[in-house]
Amino acid sequence: MAVSEAVVRAVGLEKRYGLRTVLRDVSFELESGGALVVTGPNGAGKSTLLRLIGGLAAPSRGLLEIGIERRRVGFLGHEPLVYRELTALENLDLYGRLYGVPERRERIGMLLGRFGLWEARRQRISSYSRGMTQRLALCRALLHEPDLVVLDEPHASLDDDGLALLDAELGTLAAAGKTLVVATHDPARVAALATGSIALGHA
Amino acid sequence: MTAYLGDVAALARKDLRLELRARDTLPAMALFVVATLVVFHFALPGGASEDAAYGLLWVALVFTALLGLGRAWAPESEAGALDGLVLATSDRSAIWLGKALATLAFLLAAEIVALPAFALFFAPLDGPALLGVLLASVGICAVGSLVSAMAAAARGREVLLPLLFLPLAIPLVVGGVGSSISPEPGAYLAFLGLYDAVFAILSWAAFEYVVTE
């Protein structure tokens, strides 16, 4: 039987902001192709843990090993990480250039079509609804076909169509052997994909 | 290297596109520098030396640059786009270099308005003085793009930016005024060139730590 290697390994992870500890003694291991579901109440440190895994913050204590190059991580945060005065096409084209996405225009067109944003591709993001912005943020996170996909409450702001699209996309990613980390308040929604879970409490 | 320069070009082009669309930085800089020169024109006593006028030009240019730097990272702050760039760039210093080049373009555009206005109100600038303005502008944007990124990530950014930037701009003012009024401006121009090289390298190397929590 083939032994999967750990893509993410955390031992005694701790994160402090000043005197406030937001994450304390978190340990887990996530194998390649696995899906880790992170749950917990507001303020438990879910977003902080995902920022650490995404490489956007450094742990204050403990060990965090990411076995994937930084640019092979796809990250969806609370913010869409796009420019509000650019259009969807312009935002994705910028990120496509930075990630060095091959056949960028075809990939952008395919994602915008899949997430139902093709008709609105030339609108500025400042005119988008929250749900449309979340769909675009998902397009941005998946644009470069990342190997490790880190999603912080991806279901937030989506309507029923958007939720169905996201569920289908998560299933596709899991079937393609991508490694997933999903923070959610609705663990039942991703239970079928999960290979592991962490329930965070207040530190 | 090609990928790095491609990232820098894409980032600088994005800032120029945002400015062409929003027009919230360059018009403010141009209006501010002209208004400041008008105020100085009436404030400077008749018969004051040209040297004093050159000093006032540099005050106007530094504060105009400060105005632009205060807005430099606003698009990145609005929707967390800086995090997106940090994740996507092959080398995070490309974010700084792209921003510095875009800010330099805005500052040079404001100076294209300011220098004829200065010639109209006070005196024209000669070749060494113009070269001094160019070199000082490079230094302002190199160090200013770094400290404005630091300020943008902090509370009280409006206060923090001038506190960080103005002390670092003093050598540029010394070099700029010297290149404008000295009969032998070569040493001042060399000083400005050295400042640009040193602070560009320091800013390039330090940016990684500015954008990492």
Side-chain angles (χ1 to χ4, degrees), chain A residues 15 17 51 54-57 70-71 75 79-87 90 94-95 97-99 124, chain B residues 7 10-11 13-14 17-18 21 75-76 78-81 83-92 212-213:
Chain A
K15 181 65 180 176
Y17 289 105
R51 286 180 66 81
L56 290 168
R70 170 173 58 88
R71 294 171 77 213
F75 184 86
E79 300 265 29
L81 317 192
V82 294
Y83 289 92
R84 293 202 182 278
E85 292 308 316
L86 296 182
T87 67
E90 290 165 344
L94 172 67
Y95 279 107
R97 284 175 189 273
L98 296 178
Y99 278 120
R124 295 185 196 181
Chain B
D7 285 1
L11 290 164
R13 199 163 45 237
K14 170 264 302 171
R17 176 177 282 160
L18 283 169
R21 198 160 286 173
E76 279 74 20
E78 280 171 5
D83 282 345
L85 301 186
V86 165
L87 290 167
T89 43
S90 54
D91 185 319
R92 291 169 178 174
T212 305
E213 263 180 24

Side-chain angles (χ1 to χ4, degrees), chain B residues 59-102:
Chain B
V59 171
L61 291 181
V62 165
F63 281 94
T64 301
L66 193 57
L67 189 65
L69 290 168
R71 288 282 310 157
W73 295 96
E76 279 74 20
S77 303
E78 280 171 5
L82 184 59
D83 282 345
L85 301 186
V86 165
L87 290 167
T89 43
S90 54
D91 185 319
R92 291 169 178 174
S93 68
I95 305 169
W96 162 79
L97 187 51
K99 187 63 73 180
L101 288 175

Side-chain angles (χ1 to χ4, degrees), chain A residues 181-194:
Chain A
V181 180
V182 183
T184 181
H185 287 294
D186 187 7
R189 190 129 213 146
V190 287
L193 306 171

Side-chain angles (χ1 to χ4, degrees), chain B residues 158-182:
Chain B
E158 295 83 3
V159 177
L160 192 58
L161 175 58
L163 288 177
L164 291 171
F165 173 71
L166 289 176
L168 291 168
I170 290 170
L172 292 168
V173 173
V174 171
V177 173
S179 68
S180 304
I181 64 173
S182 172

Side-chain angles (χ1 to χ4, degrees), chain A residues 32-54:
Chain A
S32 177
L36 180 73
V37 177
V38 183
T39 58
N42 292 333
K46 298 189 298 296
S47 297
T48 300
L49 177 60
L50 266 59
R51 286 180 66 81
L52 293 173
I53 296 170

Side-chain angles (χ1 to χ4, degrees), chain A residues 1-176:
Chain A
M1 192 172 106
V3 178
S4 298
E5 59 186 272
V7 171
V8 184
R9 192 163 80 91
V11 181
L13 213 54
E14 185 172 309
K15 181 65 180 176
R16 287 188 304 273
Y17 289 105
L19 295 175
R20 196 165 59 94
T21 301
V22 291
L23 211 58
R24 190 192 299 275
D25 196 23
V26 174
S27 300
F28 65 90
E29 208 164 274
L30 177 60
E31 292 180 343
S32 177
L36 180 73
V37 177
V38 183
T39 58
N42 292 333
K46 298 189 298 296
S47 297
T48 300
L49 177 60
L50 266 59
R51 286 180 66 81
L52 293 173
I53 296 170
L56 290 168
S60 306
R61 186 182 291 176
L63 175 76
L64 178 63
E65 289 178 347
I66 308 292
I68 281 178
E69 198 240 323
R70 170 173 58 88
R71 294 171 77 213
R72 299 303 305 153
V73 177
F75 184 86
L76 176 82
H78 279 194
E79 300 265 29
L81 317 192
V82 294
Y83 289 92
R84 293 202 182 278
E85 292 308 316
L86 296 182
T87 67
L89 269 182
E90 290 165 344
N91 269 295
L92 294 181
D93 187 65
L94 172 67
Y95 279 107
R97 284 175 189 273
L98 296 178
Y99 278 120
V101 174
E103 298 178 359
R104 189 173 70 245
R105 289 181 186 176
E106 289 77 8
R107 174 81 182 149
I108 290 169
M110 188 271 290
L111 279 171
L112 287 173
R114 190 190 300 175
F115 281 90
L117 292 173
W118 180 251
E119 298 299 321
R121 66 191 183 281
R122 296 190 195 282
Q123 286 179 29
R124 295 185 196 181
I125 308 312
S126 54
S127 71
Y128 273 26
S129 68
R130 285 186 66 183
M132 291 168 76
T133 306
Q134 181 75 344
R135 289 180 188 217
L136 178 67
L138 284 161
C139 291
R140 180 200 49 73
L142 301 175
L143 178 63
H144 56 301
E145 300 185 76
D147 297 318
L148 171 60
V149 182
V150 181
L151 305 172
D152 192 357
E153 297 183 34
H155 303 95
S157 306
L158 294 177
D159 57 15
D160 288 344
D161 285 349
L163 290 171
L165 276 169
L166 176 59
D167 289 343
E169 190 63 36
L170 289 174
T172 305
L173 290 168

